[in-house]
Amino acid sequence: MGKRLVLAGGGHVHMSAMKGLEQFTRVGHEVILVSPDEYHYYSGMGPGLLGGMYRAEDVRFHVARMVQDRGGQFVRGAVERIEPDSRRVVLKDGQDLSYDVLSLNVGSRVPLNFPGAEDADNLFAVKPIQELVAARQKILEFIHKGIPLQVLVVGGGPAGLECAGNILGLAEEHGGPVVVSVVAGSRFMGRFPSRIRRLALDNLSRRGARILEGVRLDRFNTNQAVLSDGSRIAFHVGILAVGVSMPEVLADSGLDCGPGGGVLVNEHLQSVSHAEIFGGGDCIDFQPSPLDKVGVYAVRENPVLTHNLLAALDRRPLQTFDPGTPDYLLLFNLGDGTAILSKHGFSLRHGLAMKLKDYIDRKFMREFQVSGEV
């Protein structure tokens, strides 16, 4: 007799399962995808979407159609509560779904926990990626009116770098005056080797960006950011590219969670406290070794998670996930036709690096963009 698999979230790590859904349905299993939106946007191309390199259609997957075309069900909604002891997922609209196996790919979010942030209509977070579409439109409105634009980017990591570079690129393409201020925290790109940091600083500074180190965002007033040293920055558009946090539903569910707040999973991507629950991507903490919150691990998890979900339904042995080398390829889109590339301690900024990033991203999109996204 077939069993029910619930996929919570239509993100990167569920792509193989959704594309190969027929291997579940043809043996009688019922598959339900729960997602707040019928589309999933690929975060690796988000900065390029902000800068105008890509259209929305280029960077999204029609996950609802992907599942429905292969015999599954799509339920629009967000997970409000997980009840692992009774094997139920409760959605925010009150829908109640039972499961035999549950897979979590609910991602992470950029917290709007700065005082005044929720009341501002000119602040946009880098996640969900759809926010960058609205941010781009807002920036273009100012540029087309000829208003000298002040843009605030909060965050001194890769997301802050790529967003700042692509905002500058957007203004450079459309001929609009813009000042981009990056509130970088203690040190801009501080967790990366000095060569990467220098390439990033040189590029943004040469293009007129202000990089503010040693200060953090404290709160927002109307169209104004107040920093930890008491200084203030007026802005027309603000981008929040600070560190991500886990959805509260994970900790509230009673599942064992790791130090990063994600569901703690073993070498099979299986919850250490509830064997019928699996997960991948940003919303897990991998018990064997910490993993960076980067897309490369979600891509690597894809086939193993798909195999193990089917194996769990059929009571077959599970595969072990090997994260691979932590020295993965780094590519940062600077919004000026170049990218920073780093691998094995070698780093450079070049147009060919951007072409390589574009090729890799588009190849991933072609593999899973199978359901009428464009």
Side-chain angles (χ1 to χ4, degrees), residues 250-264 272-273 285:
L250 301 178
D252 294 345
S253 67
L255 298 170
D256 282 2
C257 292
V263 174
L264 192 63
V272 299
S273 59
D285 279 6

Side-chain angles (χ1 to χ4, degrees), residues 106-187:
V106 292
S108 56
R109 63 183 181 86
V110 173
L112 296 175
N113 55 3
F114 298 100
E118 293 189 355
D119 297 327
D121 62 359
N122 58 344
L123 281 177
F124 304 90
V126 294
K127 285 189 173 184
I129 298 300
Q130 296 93 307
E131 291 241 336
L132 297 180
V133 178
R136 170 183 162 79
Q137 188 58 44
K138 193 80 168 179
I139 291 169
L140 286 176
E141 287 176 10
F142 282 99
I143 290 175
H144 292 156
K145 291 176 182 177
I147 299 174
L149 179 62
Q150 302 278 344
V151 178
L152 174 73
V153 176
V154 183
L161 165 64
E162 291 195 294
C163 285
N166 277 274
I167 291 167
L168 289 167
L170 185 62
E172 289 158 3
E173 179 185 354
H174 290 270
V178 62
V179 174
V180 176
S181 300
V182 181
V183 179
S186 58
R187 186 173 168 84

